[in-house]
Amino acid sequence: MPDRILVTGASGFIAAHAILELLDHGYEVRGTLRDLSKAEHIRAVLGQYNHKASTIEFVSATLTDRNCWNAAVHGCDGIFHLASPVPIEQPRDPDELVIPARQGALNVLRAAQLAGIKRVVMTSSVYAVIYHANAESRKQTGNDWTDLSTPGLTPYAISKTVAEQAARDFAETADGIELVTVLPSLVLDPALEPDYGSSLEALLLLLNGSYPLLPKLGFAIVDVRDVASLLRIAYEAPEAAGQRLICSSDFRWFVDISKQLVNEFPDYKKQLPTRQIPNALVKVLARFDKVIAYILSDLDRVIEYDCTPAESLGWRPRSAEEAISAGARSLIELGLV
């Protein structure tokens, strides 16, 4: 019998691609949803890409409800823990993200231990890595951790760091649990439906002409299909046990992303910004705009990553250009821009 994998947060952007990856490789899938009324819609969307989507089982579960998880994991062989709050706008109170992220991770791991499930693969983020004194001096590795005392940390960065640390602390003392964490950089690639979550928001804002000028801001990019493949590899590879696997491809400034989109989608040339705003002016604007205020710590910052541990398991990422192109094309084809 094929392994049955529990995918938490099954309505999410990464989760949808992870489910397709699992179905493509012969696994059975059970997904958790806060609202089971979404189940048929998800089956229908994923069914356009894999006919086995009709076999996906869904169960109701909430991150902060400890009592629901024993039933959710029952009969499963492994877990992809992907459920975690990912806001488009950062809340004023970090606990709005930190509490559900931390409690959810611990609730899933406790249930896995009781059920005798050995391998749990959890998505974290490079935000749990990059905020410390030496981040720009060398490639970041799985040994690096965000320093929670760093000024200006976003609630999202705090939540990813706290949740992963709590999960690792639990796994180190829990008998029988092998925790692997996968840490993506900025995740792009095709949306499967109009309700794509927050991952493609940056491309949408560029294509919609929301910003006439761009801050000197850039990120390393990873294709969501490559995140999904690494999640599967992390489950299958015995040597992945206990590892933090960073998954990233190339670094791109937002202005260069916009210039790529101008070349590939000339109909949107008028909306797409190709000039940068001086950092000094961004800092002035940040006094009046909380969204801008949250990017100040990333201005003019280039972070590189060591993905050797993931690559040693056989993982090979697509280029940033391919992820950017596919993501933008999907937004256009879905009529979102």
Side-chain angles (χ1 to χ4, degrees):
M1 293 291 291
D3 281 7
R4 178 184 289 117
I5 307 299
L6 179 74
V7 178
T8 71
S11 62
F13 180 60
I14 295 176
H17 287 272
I19 290 171
L20 289 174
E21 175 79 9
L22 289 168
L23 293 176
D24 287 345
H25 286 81
Y27 289 91
E28 294 181 355
V29 176
R30 177 186 295 165
T32 72
L33 297 170
R34 286 180 296 174
D35 181 2
L36 282 178
S37 67
K38 295 181 178 180
E40 285 308 316
H41 173 73
I42 294 171
R43 289 191 187 102
V45 170
L46 298 184
Q48 300 174 67
Y49 305 92
N50 190 303
H51 70 278
K52 296 178 185 177
S54 61
T55 67
I56 303 169
E57 178 188 1
F58 290 101
V59 295
S60 177
T62 304
L63 286 172
T64 53
D65 180 5
R66 182 172 180 173
N67 297 322
C68 68
W69 288 100
N70 289 341
V73 307
H74 178 73
C76 292
D77 301 287
I79 299 173
F80 286 11
H81 179 47
L82 312 184
S84 187
V86 184
I88 292 176
E89 290 190 10
Q90 297 290 315
R92 291 180 180 273
D93 183 0
D95 281 347
E96 290 183 29
L97 305 184
V98 172
I99 290 174
R102 182 181 184 277
Q103 288 187 356
L106 292 176
N107 286 338
V108 168
L109 287 168
R110 290 187 186 107
Q113 185 183 30
L114 287 172
I117 294 173
K118 184 177 181 180
R119 183 64 60 95
V120 178
V121 183
M122 173 179 166
T123 53
S124 182
S125 168
V126 293
Y127 283 118
V129 168
I130 62 174
Y131 295 107
H132 59 86
N134 299 315
E136 295 177 75
S137 64
R138 54 174 171 75
K139 285 188 175 182
Q140 298 298 282
T141 75
N143 294 322
D144 292 300
W145 281 91
T146 283
D147 179 354
L148 291 172
S149 67
T150 303
L153 279 184
T154 65
Y156 179 71
I158 296 169
S159 74
K160 300 307 287 187
T161 305
V162 169
E164 188 186 357
Q165 286 178 336
R168 291 203 158 270
D169 289 345
F170 179 91
E172 284 178 6
T173 59
D175 292 335
I177 292 287
E178 294 179 348
L179 176 67
V180 190
T181 50
V182 171
L183 297 85
S185 56
L186 178 64
V187 181
L188 298 178
D189 207 45
L192 302 178
E193 60 166 328
D195 185 12
Y196 59 86
S198 61
S199 295
L200 293 174
E201 190 69 14
L203 291 183
L204 183 67
L205 291 173
L206 290 177
L207 290 164
N208 276 339
S210 298
Y211 297 111
L213 298 171
L214 291 170
K216 192 171 184 183
L217 188 68
F219 296 97
I221 292 167
V222 66
D223 190 299
V224 70
R225 294 167 293 186
D226 296 328
V227 180
S229 70
L230 184 56
L231 290 167
R232 175 186 56 80
I233 291 168
Y235 176 73
E236 294 175 344
E239 62 270 35
Q243 291 200 52
R244 297 178 86 207
L245 301 172
I246 296 175
C247 57
S248 182
S249 184
D250 312 306
F251 179 93
R252 291 291 180 272
W253 295 110
F254 270 124
V255 70
D256 293 325
I257 294 173
S258 194
K259 289 176 180 178
Q260 177 187 333
L261 296 177
V262 168
N263 290 330
E264 293 190 24
F265 306 99
D267 290 346
Y268 295 85
K269 181 177 180 178
K270 290 183 179 180
Q271 293 101 300
L272 286 161
T274 55
R275 293 186 299 165
Q276 291 181 322
I277 187 171
N279 289 349
L281 183 53
V282 175
K283 292 175 182 178
V284 172
L285 295 173
R287 299 174 187 173
F288 310 99
D289 188 319
K290 65 179 182 180
V291 174
I292 294 176
Y294 278 125
I295 70 168
L296 287 181
S297 61
D298 291 315
L299 281 178
D300 220 358
R301 196 168 186 243
V302 179
I303 305 293
E304 297 183 324
Y305 302 99
D306 180 5
C307 297
T308 303
E311 292 168 350
S312 70
L313 299 175
W315 181 72
R316 297 292 181 270
R318 295 168 174 82
S319 69
E321 284 79 9
E322 186 173 351
I324 294 164
S325 179
R329 184 175 295 105
S330 71
L331 292 173
I332 293 168
E333 290 176 350
L334 289 166
L336 296 172
V337 292

